[in-house]
Amino acid sequence: MTQDPAQFSPPGSRKKSLAAPARLPLPLLPTLLALSLLAALLAARPAAAALSFEGPEGAVNSLIELDRTAIPAGRPDQLYVIVRLRAPQDVADGERPRPPLNLALVLDRSGSMESKGKMDYLKAAARDLIDRLAPGDRLAIVEYDDRITVAAPSAPVRDRAALKRVIDGLEPRGSTNLAGGLLAGLHSVAAHYDSEAVNRVLLLSDGLANVGLTTTPEIRNALLRGTTRRLPVTTLGLGLDYNEDLMQDVAEYTGGAYHYIESPHQMADVFARELSALMDTVAGDMRLEFRPGGAVSNVTVFGYPSHRQGATTVIPLPDLYAGQERTITLRLDVAGQGQGSVSLGQLDLAYRDVKAEQPVHTSQALSVLATTERAVLDTALNREAKVEATLAEVESRHQQALEKAQAGRWDEAQADMAATARELEDVNQDLDDARLSDKMEALKVEEQQVGAAAAAPASASSKMFMKRSKNRLYQAYQGERGGYVLSPGDSGPQVEDLQNALSAAGLYTGPADGVFSPDLENAVRTYQTNNGLDTDGRAGPQTLNSLGLY
């Protein structure tokens, strides 16, 4: 029996499908104009094929989708591959104990930490983190200004009082040798590396690296030479004066995570959430590889750093935590093919199942049908995958606009955002997808903010705009788009900020607990009605901007 090449389902796999509209495919050029033309041809909505494969015991659920299961024969085309990775929440709820932690806490004690009570908040957050660790965990504490001090060498967390005395002894002084502190933290973790543990450096800074290695290429080269293995670094940028591009780059390059801490009082919550995530780590040392077939001439990866090893595109991925989802989008340039099955290549996913303490590797061959049959082409497009591909392209253009703004080309950045929003609006007239509407609203709000920032580029409000926008884009690139919209059921510091803002407006009387409750939804609706905004109970870009939170 010959298997339909569009189904991609190996024996024993579970097949999932998502609703997809039928439409006459056009070449999917990497422009919103092409996507808009394609969307305009939508008609019926039959199901499109999708593939899912799972690691042992469901440690990581993986869903692979193509935006189309068939392409027109005889002409070049582009296809999008959407890879969704999810660690079920119940993976962390089993009988197996959580993995031990091997951490280095690398703390900025430079002179700028004296302002706004930063050091006091840092001490409280670090003390709380120490209380949350178990005796079987390891912790090193590194302090840095222009000098580097391993204040507490890596050791099991048995004497919490001694560790807290180290924290209490921190006082602001000196300049910022960020690279030196980072390398000392990496060496502390590497010296006690445990393949069965979660190994991680937590790096906090509130200022620019101005001593030692200071540029991104220098620090990246130092990371490459500094240890024999790739160790994830969680970077935490505090306030408005640190280099967010450097902190994001370190996190991405090492497979860690990046957090923007806007206000010192948020430190304890961010530390606690990061530690909780580390304790719930399900998959580590994650890597996605795509080996293209002969029909694929180019591979573009959205949102994640990647590199080539020969013809293979390698995408190192951050650790995955229980309940976390991650989306990776690839764009494939496909040469014109004759009719029949076209091999696109092979996708390999490898990771370490932290709780089962075993490596996992799974592979999937991808292919697509090239045909001239209109009936097949009309039912080939997957709507859900198309929405994700559109968002990936839009976010790439959004990033380019921010880079222009950062370079002082404010007018160009504003014009690019306006044009992207208009084109996205055209696409969404046919797709009518809430995620595209949210992104369009975000672009319109940020277009206005770019104009305001251009008038005073060195102001605190301009710096805040850039950091907030880059942070939202960083999250969105990885498939986490909650930074654009807060909805009922959400939780975290952004929700707490929303609660405080609506409380100050006299519309919310509940606790500032960071949980988007029905009472908070009612307060949002009231605020929206009072201020002439769309009343939907969700705090989207316009509502957040009106409250000074976007």
Side-chain angles (χ1 to χ4, degrees):
M1 177 178 177
T2 302
Q3 184 181 9
D4 180 354
Q7 299 301 313
F8 310 132
S9 297
S13 71
R14 290 195 313 170
K15 190 188 305 180
K16 300 179 183 178
S17 63
L18 298 173
R23 61 199 81 180
L24 178 63
L26 296 175
L28 272 183
L29 302 175
T31 64
L32 290 182
L33 177 59
L35 290 167
S36 177
L37 292 172
L38 187 59
L41 296 174
L42 298 180
R45 295 176 180 260
L51 162 75
S52 69
F53 57 84
E54 295 185 3
E57 302 181 12
V60 176
N61 296 335
S62 307
L63 173 67
I64 300 173
E65 297 178 275
L66 291 181
D67 69 315
R68 285 172 293 161
T69 56
I71 58 175
R75 68 187 190 194
D77 211 327
Q78 288 185 325
L79 283 168
Y80 292 87
V81 181
I82 313 298
V83 182
R84 305 180 196 273
L85 306 176
R86 181 177 182 275
Q89 183 63 52
D90 58 9
V91 171
D93 299 332
E95 297 180 357
R96 290 177 295 185
R98 71 162 175 85
L101 304 179
N102 173 25
L103 305 179
L105 192 57
V106 181
L107 303 176
D108 185 348
R109 64 173 298 173
S110 60
S112 57
M113 287 294 292
E114 188 172 10
S115 66
K116 300 181 181 179
K118 292 177 185 176
M119 185 58 75
D120 290 336
Y121 281 110
L122 172 60
K123 290 179 180 180
R127 288 171 63 91
D128 180 68
L129 181 144
I130 291 168
D131 282 336
R132 293 171 183 267
L133 295 175
D137 298 322
R138 299 190 71 95
L139 178 66
I141 299 175
V142 177
E143 57 175 84
Y144 71 96
D145 50 355
D146 48 306
R147 291 172 283 176
I148 311 300
T149 304
V150 180
S154 179
V157 183
R158 297 195 180 102
D159 190 346
R160 289 186 173 84
L163 292 170
K164 290 179 181 179
R165 284 195 294 272
V166 170
I167 296 298
D168 291 341
L170 295 176
E171 296 297 337
R173 71 180 188 201
S175 302
T176 307
N177 187 349
L178 183 147
L182 172 58
L183 290 174
L186 286 168
H187 291 151
S188 295
V189 173
H192 300 278
Y193 181 84
D194 183 350
S195 62
E196 297 179 359
V198 174
N199 304 274
R200 180 73 61 126
V201 174
L202 280 71
L203 169 70
L204 179 133
S205 179
D206 79 324
L208 298 174
N210 52 25
V211 175
L213 306 178
T214 59
T215 68
T216 298
E218 287 176 330
I219 293 175
R220 181 179 284 192
N221 287 335
L223 289 172
L224 188 63
R225 299 191 308 268
T227 61
T228 58
R229 62 178 75 250
R230 179 174 178 255
L231 294 173
V233 179
T234 292
T235 59
L236 304 110
L238 172 62
L240 298 178
D241 296 322
Y242 71 94
N243 183 342
E244 67 273 12
D245 295 328
L246 172 60
M247 297 291 264
Q248 284 188 22
D249 186 82
V250 169
E252 291 180 346
Y253 186 70
T254 62
Y258 162 72
H259 298 278
Y260 166 39
I261 306 176
E262 190 167 299
S263 173
H265 78 269
Q266 297 173 334
M267 266 193 281
D269 182 76
V270 173
F271 272 47
R273 286 190 294 115
E274 177 66 11
L275 186 62
S276 177
L278 294 178
M279 290 178 176
D280 282 345
T281 299
V282 169
D285 302 327
M286 296 193 75
R287 187 179 71 257
L288 192 67
E289 295 185 358
F290 179 71
R291 288 180 283 170
V296 176
S297 60
N298 188 58
V299 179
T300 301
V301 180
F302 292 90
Y304 289 89
S306 62
H307 61 274
R308 294 280 293 274
Q309 289 183 352
T312 300
T313 297
V314 180
I315 312 168
L317 296 172
D319 295 350
L320 198 64
Y321 314 130
Q324 187 179 28
E325 299 183 14
R326 184 170 291 129
T327 303
I328 305 98
T329 301
L330 292 79
R331 187 178 67 214
L332 311 182
D333 293 342
V334 183
Q337 301 293 311
Q339 294 194 67
S341 177
V342 178
S343 173
L344 299 174
Q346 180 167 302
L347 199 62
D348 296 326
L349 175 66
Y351 62 91
R352 176 172 55 90
D353 185 329
V354 173
K355 292 184 177 292
E357 300 177 2
Q358 65 180 13
V360 177
H361 179 268
T362 184
S363 299
Q364 181 58 48
L366 302 181
S367 58
V368 69
L369 181 66
T371 182
T372 58
E373 295 185 24
R374 175 64 63 89
V376 176
L377 295 172
D378 282 352
T379 60
L381 201 140
N382 183 325
R383 180 182 184 277
E384 180 69 18
K386 174 177 162 36
V387 168
E388 195 65 47
T390 301
L391 286 168
E393 292 284 4
V394 168
E395 282 152 5
S396 178
R397 289 180 58 169
H398 191 172
Q399 176 68 37
Q400 293 168 16
L402 287 178
E403 290 171 358
K404 290 180 179 179
Q406 186 163 320
R409 296 155 59 188
W410 299 97
D411 290 344
E412 291 181 52
Q414 195 170 19
D416 286 355
M417 286 186 181
T420 303
R422 287 194 300 270
E423 293 173 24
L424 185 56
E425 187 172 16
D426 290 341
V427 172
N428 207 31
Q429 285 181 356
D430 296 285
L431 289 175
D432 191 25
D433 188 272
R435 290 162 294 180
L436 299 184
S437 296
D438 291 338
K439 184 64 183 182
M440 181 174 60
E441 183 180 329
L443 286 166
K444 290 180 178 179
V445 168
E446 292 196 25
E447 176 198 347
Q448 298 170 357
Q449 291 179 331
V450 166
S459 66
S461 60
S462 177
K463 292 180 181 179
M464 184 177 293
F465 157 70
M466 291 299 294
K467 282 183 167 55
R468 284 179 172 179
S469 185
K470 288 180 181 179
N471 185 50
R472 285 189 295 265
L473 200 56
Y474 168 82
Q475 295 171 341
Y477 257 145
Q478 302 187 46
E480 299 175 2
R481 299 189 173 91
Y484 294 113
V485 180
L486 299 176
S487 302
D490 287 346
S491 61
Q494 291 173 310
V495 176
E496 184 178 349
D497 289 341
L498 177 63
Q499 290 170 326
N500 289 330
L502 291 173
S503 177
L507 300 176
Y508 176 71
T509 58
D513 57 3
V515 177
F516 203 125
S517 64
D519 287 344
L520 183 61
E521 180 182 359
N522 290 334
V524 170
R525 288 182 180 276
T526 301
Y527 180 85
Q528 290 170 330
T529 300
N530 293 348
N531 289 273
L533 302 169
D534 290 341
T535 304
D536 60 4
R538 301 159 69 240
Q542 289 185 350
T543 299
L544 292 172
N545 188 51
S546 178
L547 287 164
L549 300 177
Y550 190 88

